[in-house]
Amino acid sequence: MRRAGVLMPVTSLPSPWGIGTLGAAAREFVDFLAASGQALWQILPIGPTGFGDSPYQVFSTYAGNPYLIDLDELVAEGLLERSEYEGVPWGDDPLSVDYGALFRGRYAVLERACARLRASRSAELASFCARESAWLEDYALFMAIKDSQGGAPWVSWPDGLRRREAGALDDARRLLADRVDFWKALQCLFFRQWDRLREYAASAGVLLMGDIPIYVAPDSADVWASPEQFQLDERLLPVEVAGCPPDGFAAGGQLWGNPLYDWELMERDGFSWWVERVTYQLRLYDVLRIDHFRGFDSYYSIPFGAPDAREGRWREGPGMALFERLRETCGTERLVAEDLGYLTDSVARLREETGLPGMRVLEFAFDSVDGSGSVYLPHSYPRDCVAYVGTHDNDTALGWLASACPEDVSRARDYLGLNEREGEGWGMMRGIWSSVAETAIVQMQDILCLGGEARMNVPSTVGQNWRWRAPAHYATPELAQRLRRLMELCDRAPAAGKR
């Protein structure tokens, strides 16, 4: 079935309170998608972010980001008073997230809501905590200890806490009980709102597409609670870390710094850590993109402490054994492989063997640097793929046209027939909508005809990423009508009666 969708981070939705949330603005976006003939809303990972604010480096692969809890919804539920957050400075620019302002102001407001939740709805909270105990106990304790240690990473905590000695953990649970309960209550608030949003999207015929990073953050409850699953030394420091090798875009490669998995141990216990992780994510989403798929075939391993990625080398990944186990346990029919980056024949064979649809990015099609563009030209797309103009790691369509090599831009204009009357950004979107790819997804910034100033992320940089926000009243009926007409022309509009 041909379908289309929009990539729009929850953080990018408009609101008066500093960041997009799971409340009315999210439901309004669902309405816009339904009206414009879109079947999918792709979002970025929704976990609690830390230093750098990246949704791909979070404190837990299971927890929700407290910043996304809608404050107005809490007022409607009697858990907040509007006066408790109206005067808080949430940032000076409504089109950019100020994470510093959120960190300074959000938790004090949410503490009030959590206190009222614990006092008035203790049975509901207890039910949530019991249902999610498999991950929530470790996460809440991790965050409470982190608070008590001034936010320090877990590898610098006192030895008993760092090594999870039973006596030290028991003492922490007793001494930090109130803070542990706060972090549990926050997650209850988050997932109550998430569940309502997912139900609303389902009623509108819109599927939610999530994104699961291949790696977890070094400073996370995931590594602290299960250090045996990772390549750590006797000091619980990584032996080697993740990244990408040098290429034409980065002479020193990319040094991500994530701890690498002990794949041999994981395979011996049936990949239980991965089965639990993917099963949980499939509870949250209708479709799930698996980030950095090539790392399951072979992964780039860099010595811990190296200044860049030049000293790394390729090591064998789990391959088909992992995906066979996932197929047996939680199913793989709703997964999408992010098969971008440095690819080999063996990566292509693994994706084909898994049966997962891969990805095609139009902006790569005209790249004269690495010479691999032909597979990204729309006329060469297979049906079982998800086509993009660009992802969250790429520039917007207009930003790319303004900044790419002039020869590459000229080729794109000739190939796609770009013109001012249609709008060059719209012409690039037409290129993937009219392809045979079963799914085509565009960034909301491209629909709004925004340039490079609206780019979501520049890989391997820290400080100005993940900040873009849409202006108020951006999703107009006229825009929805234009999109729907194009979906009908490209045979991507949902069939009548499906919504």
Side-chain angles (χ1 to χ4, degrees), residues 29-255:
F29 186 63
V30 168
D31 293 341
F32 170 79
L33 294 174
S36 59
Q38 307 299 304
L40 287 163
W41 176 6
Q42 182 179 346
I43 63 175
L44 301 183
I46 55 174
T49 54
F51 175 76
D53 313 308
S54 171
Y56 294 88
Q57 299 279 355
V58 297
F59 291 131
S60 168
T61 194
Y62 293 91
N65 188 342
Y67 292 159
L68 304 185
I69 297 171
D70 189 81
L71 304 181
D72 295 335
E73 297 274 307
L74 298 181
V75 172
E77 297 178 55
L79 297 176
L80 273 184
E81 297 290 337
R82 196 174 177 89
S83 60
E84 293 175 320
Y85 59 89
E86 273 190 323
V88 176
W90 298 117
D92 298 327
D93 184 356
L95 301 182
S96 178
V97 179
D98 184 336
Y99 287 100
L102 288 172
F103 181 77
R104 292 187 295 271
R106 206 67 156 209
Y107 288 107
V109 173
L110 291 172
E111 282 176 358
R112 297 186 178 98
C114 288
R116 290 170 185 141
L117 177 73
R118 292 162 62 186
S120 63
R121 303 180 189 180
S122 58
E124 179 184 352
L125 177 57
S127 176
F128 170 81
C129 292
R131 185 174 70 248
E132 306 296 340
S133 61
W135 64 269
L136 184 61
E137 293 294 331
D138 280 324
Y139 169 71
L141 183 58
F142 174 86
M143 295 303 294
I145 296 173
K146 177 175 278 290
D147 287 345
S148 74
Q149 297 295 314
W154 70 268
V155 292
S156 66
W157 293 352
D159 204 51
L161 294 173
R162 187 166 58 88
R163 296 186 179 278
R164 294 178 58 84
E165 295 174 0
L169 295 186
D170 288 342
D171 288 344
R173 292 188 187 97
R174 176 174 51 83
L175 295 171
L176 304 174
D178 283 347
R179 203 62 185 167
V180 170
D181 288 345
F182 163 70
W183 288 105
K184 290 180 179 179
L186 265 184
Q187 291 304 303
C188 182
L189 292 178
F190 177 93
F191 282 107
R192 290 166 81 237
Q193 293 191 1
W194 175 261
D195 290 344
R196 285 199 293 267
L197 176 60
R198 185 168 183 194
E199 289 172 5
Y200 189 87
S203 69
V206 174
L207 302 176
L208 297 183
M209 182 175 177
D211 193 338
I212 181 171
I214 182 175
Y215 296 120
V216 297
D219 186 25
S220 66
D222 309 298
V223 183
W224 176 69
S226 302
E228 73 284 352
Q229 302 287 342
F230 301 88
Q231 298 180 31
L232 307 182
D233 64 17
E234 66 280 357
R235 299 167 297 167
L236 298 179
L237 296 175
V239 177
E240 295 184 305
V241 295
C244 281
D247 57 22
F249 300 99
Q254 296 181 33
L255 180 59

Side-chain angles (χ1 to χ4, degrees), residues 297-319:
D297 176 68
S298 59
Y299 60 93
Y300 198 65
S301 181
I302 306 163
F304 180 65
D308 57 32
R310 298 172 203 263
E311 298 177 36
R313 60 176 175 169
W314 291 101
R315 297 184 183 275
E316 186 176 355

